[in-house]
């Protein structure tokens, strides 16, 4: 007998219009700006600190199903100094999936408000669960959170779950803590469960989080995070889900049916990256480099005739030009680049660029991107 969840999810993932699992840009392209991660080599001092942490381990064994106590305490100290409860997962993607599925469980189904343009898996998970999605523009809500309140009030049927993602993928849109506070308060007034995906928080101008909003209700509001972005360590696969103990006890029990624990090795490495002074200094440099290179590439693309709609977090969000309208080459054809078409985010006339790469030359990057666009 077919499982409708998997049937719907696999149909969505393999549809010709799905962009999440593949890119339509040439595989042989020289510069890769597709993967939304910060790619920077670790200094020797950071590597030595990680090695020392592993050398001090006397065994490799099961972790606490909720996650190592030291990692949970360290992470919560960064996020919410007044405390909280957190479940450590195998990456932010698992945390987001668990949070959204549990929010739907608590509400008895959708509809679910999701950002558009936005990260495809939100829609995949909602629709595979048999619920419906309602779209909202994350940039418009950032500028005026009252628009979200009006959308909730006017929708029929009324949405039951709200997904947030600030700083936003793919547009880079950010919000202030005051706007976050207002959004969380509105979710509370209308009885919506809230899932705040904050994996890009450290790349915002200010560290904004739903967990610090006065109306934050950890029984119905969930924060999702990951070390992939914040610690430039995607391969560790360590994520966080913040909620109250009753919710996390249920999710820990559910998770134990398919995963014994998150790797103790990767959790110890994540703890070191959060606490080691050398790692902290390196990550500060990484975040500054991400900001500087993103802004410089945005300026270079603008000079080349590309409409950069917005940029922030790890991304530049650009309008796809008419290839015939691009300026003539002044030199021999430069290298090409891989960028992410906007179709998978719900905006086929846009594309996304991630310039968080070591030793980036913004001028060369812009030239390679333009060269790729000539063939679209």
């Amino acid at each position: 007998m077919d499982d409708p969840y998997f049937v719907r999810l696999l149909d969505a993932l393999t549809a010709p219009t799905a962009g999440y699992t593949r890119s339509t840009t040439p595989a042989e392209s020289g510069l890769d700006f597709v993967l939304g991660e910060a790619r920077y080599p670790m200094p020797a001092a950071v590597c030595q600190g990680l090695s020392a942490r592993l050398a001090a381990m006397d065994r490799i064994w099961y972790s606490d199903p909720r996650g190592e106590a030291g990692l949970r305490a360290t992470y919560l100290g960064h996020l919410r100094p007044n405390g909280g409860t957190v479940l450590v997962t195998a990456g932010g993607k698992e945390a987001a999936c668990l949070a959204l599925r549990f929010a739907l469980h608590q509400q008895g189904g959708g509809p679910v408000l999701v950002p558009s343009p936005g990260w495809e898996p939100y829609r995949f998970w909602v629709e595979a669960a048999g619920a419906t999605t309602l779209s909202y523009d994350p940039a418009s809500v950032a500028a005026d959170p009252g628009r979200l309140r009006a959308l909730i009030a006017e929708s029929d049927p009324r949405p039951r779950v709200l997904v947030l993602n600030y700083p936003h993928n793919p547009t880079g849109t950010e919000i202030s803590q005051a706007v976050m506070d207002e959004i969380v308060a509105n979710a509370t007034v209308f009885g919506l469960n809230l899932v705040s995906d904050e994996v890009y928080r450290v790349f915002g101008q200010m560290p904004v989080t739903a967990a610090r909003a006065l109306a934050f209700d950890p029984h119905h509001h969930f924060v999702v995070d990951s070390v992939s972005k914040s610690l430039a360590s995607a391969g560790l696969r360590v994520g966080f889900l913040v909620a109250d103990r009753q919710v996390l006890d249920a999710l820990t029990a559910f998770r134990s049916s398919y995963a014994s624990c998150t790797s103790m090795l990767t959790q110890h490495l994540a703890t070191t990256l959060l606490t080691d002074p050398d790692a902290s200094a390196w990550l500060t440099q990484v975040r500054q480099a991400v900001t500087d290179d993103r802004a410089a590439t945005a300026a270079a693309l603008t000079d080349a005739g590309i409409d950069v709609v917005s940029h922030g977090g790890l991304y530049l969000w650009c309008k796809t030009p008419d290839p015939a309208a691009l300026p003539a080459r002044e030199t021999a054809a430069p290298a090409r680049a891989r960028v992410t078409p906007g179709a998978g985010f719900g905006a086929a006339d846009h594309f996304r660029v991630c310039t968080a790469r070591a030793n980036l030359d913004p001028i060369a990057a812009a030239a390679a991107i333009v060269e790729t666009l000539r063939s679209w």
Side-chain angles (χ1 to χ4, degrees):
M1 186 174 183
D2 288 336
D3 182 330
Y5 180 84
F6 278 89
V7 169
R8 288 189 288 254
L9 183 56
L10 289 172
D11 284 348
L13 288 168
T14 57
T17 56
Y20 181 67
T21 56
R22 57 188 176 274
S23 171
T24 60
T25 50
E28 68 273 12
S29 298
L31 301 177
D32 184 359
F33 302 131
V34 171
L35 189 64
E37 306 288 352
R39 294 183 174 183
Y40 296 87
M42 287 182 175
V46 177
C47 294
Q48 290 168 4
L50 296 174
S51 297
R53 182 63 178 252
L54 294 183
M57 295 177 61
D58 62 356
R59 61 175 179 161
I60 299 173
W61 198 241
Y62 289 114
S63 169
D64 184 322
R66 298 169 298 172
E68 290 292 292
L71 176 58
R72 287 185 283 124
T74 299
Y75 171 73
L76 285 170
H78 284 271
L79 177 74
R80 195 179 184 191
N82 60 337
T85 311
V86 62
L87 171 67
V88 180
T89 61
K93 193 177 299 181
E94 184 190 24
C97 185
L98 286 172
L100 186 51
R101 291 300 304 274
F102 197 81
L104 282 167
H105 160 70
Q106 286 184 314
Q107 289 283 5
V112 179
L113 278 166
V114 296
S116 181
W119 190 49
E120 276 188 298
Y122 302 138
R123 176 173 57 83
F124 290 160
W125 296 330
V126 171
E127 294 177 356
T132 57
T133 58
L134 297 174
S135 297
Y136 72 90
D137 180 358
S140 295
V141 169
D144 178 9
R147 295 180 181 180
L148 184 62
R149 183 172 60 249
L151 177 60
I152 295 171
E154 295 167 3
S155 296
D156 185 19
R158 183 72 59 82
R160 311 294 294 275
V161 178
L162 168 63
V163 176
L164 299 179
N165 174 217
Y166 293 108
H168 180 247
N169 174 17
T171 69
T173 301
E174 299 182 26
I175 59 175
S176 66
Q177 187 64 51
V179 171
M180 176 66 83
D181 293 351
E182 184 174 349
I183 292 173
V184 175
N186 288 332
T188 302
V189 168
F190 286 100
L192 274 66
N193 278 36
L194 182 148
V195 176
S196 184
D197 183 344
E198 302 177 5
V199 298
Y200 300 100
R201 183 192 310 110
V202 301
F203 294 103
Q205 295 182 25
M206 296 294 292
V208 174
T209 175
R212 295 182 184 176
L214 290 176
F216 183 71
D217 171 8
H219 189 70
H220 297 99
H221 303 159
F222 314 127
V223 169
V224 170
D225 204 352
S226 168
V227 306
S228 294
K229 321 296 183 187
S230 62
L231 303 183
S233 304
L236 286 184
R237 307 314 309 148
V238 172
F240 306 101
L241 174 53
V242 178
D244 75 10
R245 184 170 299 279
Q246 182 180 355
V247 168
L248 294 186
D249 283 349
L251 285 174
T252 301
F254 172 77
R255 189 172 185 268
S256 68
S257 70
Y258 68 84
S260 298
C261 62
T262 301
S263 165
M264 178 186 286
L265 289 171
T266 59
Q267 289 190 72
H268 276 266
L269 293 176
T271 304
T272 300
L273 288 172
L274 283 168
T275 57
D276 180 72
D278 289 323
S280 296
W282 168 63
L283 290 166
T284 297
Q285 294 171 359
V286 165
R287 291 160 192 159
Q288 189 61 54
V290 167
T291 300
D292 293 345
D293 288 340
R294 189 190 68 229
T297 306
L301 283 172
T302 300
D303 290 342
I306 304 299
D307 182 4
V308 180
V309 178
S310 58
H311 65 89
L314 294 183
Y315 303 116
L316 291 83
W317 183 240
C318 308
K319 188 82 171 177
T320 303
D322 177 356
L326 292 171
R329 296 190 191 102
E330 297 182 358
T331 60
R336 302 182 74 196
R338 297 183 67 217
V339 301
T340 307
F345 300 106
D349 57 345
H350 288 71
F351 66 95
R352 189 195 76 176
V353 178
C354 177
T355 55
R357 307 290 187 259
N359 303 315
L360 180 77
D361 179 339
I363 303 299
I369 291 167
V370 171
E371 185 63 22
T372 295
L373 296 174
R374 293 183 189 280
S375 64
W376 281 22

